[in-house]
Amino acid sequence: MRLFILPSSFQGEEMVRLEGKEYHYLVRVLRKSEGDSFNASDGKGTLYYATVEEITPSVCTLRVQRRGPLERPFPEITLFQCVPKGKKLDLVVRQAVELGVSRVVPVVSRFSVPRWDSPEEKIKRLRRIAKEAAQQCGSLEVPEILDPLPLGAVVEFFQPKEPERLGLFFHQAPLARTTLHQYLSIYRKAVALVIGPEGGLAKEEVTSLEEGGFFPAYLGPSVLRTETAPVFAVAAVQIILLERLAWKLHQEP
Amino acid sequence: MRLFILPSSFQGEEMVRLEGKEYHYLVRVLRKSEGDSFNASDGKGTLYYATVEEITPSVCTLRVQRRGPLERPFPEITLFQCVPKGKKLDLVVRQAVELGVSRVVPVVSRFSVPRWDSPEEKIKRLRRIAKEAAQQCGSLEVPEILDPLPLGAVVEFFQPKEPERLGLFFHQAPLARTTLHQYLSIYRKAVALVIGPEGGLAKEEVTSLEEGGFFPAYLGPSVLRTETAPVFAVAAVQIILLERLAWKLHQEP
């Protein structure tokens, strides 16, 4: 653990009580004892320093001190993932969080097959996965998992034509008129990536995304499975941003 | 299916008999009928054009014509993956193949925990996964899955100091003296990526890799799980190579 994430009920109090799962994780899994100190986050961008004050058989009390806001070195990345079959979304959320996305929005598109028996349970489960993944990889914030959105609402939601925003959709065909390096050569506060479902995006969906201000991006000729495409897309964007100072465009546009 | 992969027993004959699983895949899953034609590969870099000549209840006969060698647009990527726990290697192999590696070598390092009940069965299983993934993503060749190698033999095996070869190992600490863009700004025929196990690489392992000619590479501050690190590493290398003509180094070394 690089950063312990405080309970979502935390409002900045000096003393925090952990019970149930959070107690179990800190005391049994991480084996923290009275007097141990570690970094913690409220999951909303603020860093705290926490010390274990007391451990009883069912409650652990932490004393927390505010350390200040966490810096956000990178553009915020939102992954709009068209819902794939079965449990694939679990893996997508876990890996996307590890790779540093700020938000995952499940999207219902024409060819997506979201046969969720209990949508509320599913979203709860995804939020739990996101929290665990953020905790494990020392992420500064717990990424949001939003309720599912129809594809037709993605443009309205993200507003890719606003300044400092970049919307990309990934498509099997090389529709892209330019490279990710070029798209990312200009600073953006927010980047959105739209990934289609198993059956891809429908023609009219591609048209409406393009008209709304999303640009097509291309990841090479390999036909990627729905659970690998988002990982490739996020990883590609991240390495280009991470190494932003190392490269420049071959030909300035 | 973009490219059907011929049985490994294929030696360039004009007529190829498919039985068992391969019969099932072509006739039942892909629903090919007599007279259907499609591209096929021998899994070793040669493209064929195949036509279904005859289908009986248990045998399918293909007529194949050689089309010539497949081009290899990219450096060949070898993934040396320190063996993770449980079934994680299955996922690593599947995703790495989709992302275009040519070879996966399971590596036994100091902190890897390879409790394989039956190593032969495990390798067979990984080869089957690699073949299926290659088939599914239209890859031109079936990546090799080699028998496990001790970490101490990786340098000898890959020879990173030979011309046009680049060996990188990925490490949680920012040991890297430069960026992936810089490492990949020079053309290489072969690139090797070494990924540690859950517990990371031991200090003496890092030293021996560096002395052998491997360079440290860095994927940012996130602590990635063993099954996500190789995907990030391969994806990062691929996008930088795919877009090689779009960027140049900010400062020539």
Side-chain angles (χ1 to χ4, degrees), chain A residues 6-53:
Chain A
L6 297 166
S8 52
S9 58
F10 174 71
Q11 296 284 343
E13 306 84 6
E14 198 187 340
M15 305 303 276
V16 179
R17 279 166 62 95
L18 302 180
E19 295 171 284
K21 275 189 188 172
E22 275 140 354
Y23 174 90
H24 178 80
Y25 180 66
L26 198 78
V27 179
R28 302 269 175 261
V29 181
L30 300 176
R31 297 165 179 272
K32 294 290 176 195
S33 313
E34 289 178 5
D36 285 352
S37 292
F38 46 86
N39 287 323
S41 150
D42 61 355
K44 294 163 202 138
T46 304
L47 180 68
Y48 289 83
Y49 187 71
T51 305
V52 178
E53 281 283 309

Side-chain angles (χ1 to χ4, degrees), chain A residues 48-75:
Chain A
Y48 289 83
Y49 187 71
T51 305
V52 178
E53 281 283 309
E54 191 188 20
I55 295 177
T56 73
S58 66
V59 179
C60 167
T61 310
L62 302 179
R63 176 184 298 278
V64 298
Q65 277 182 290
R66 193 171 182 282
R67 278 291 169 91
L70 298 165
E71 280 181 48
R72 191 203 295 280
F74 270 9

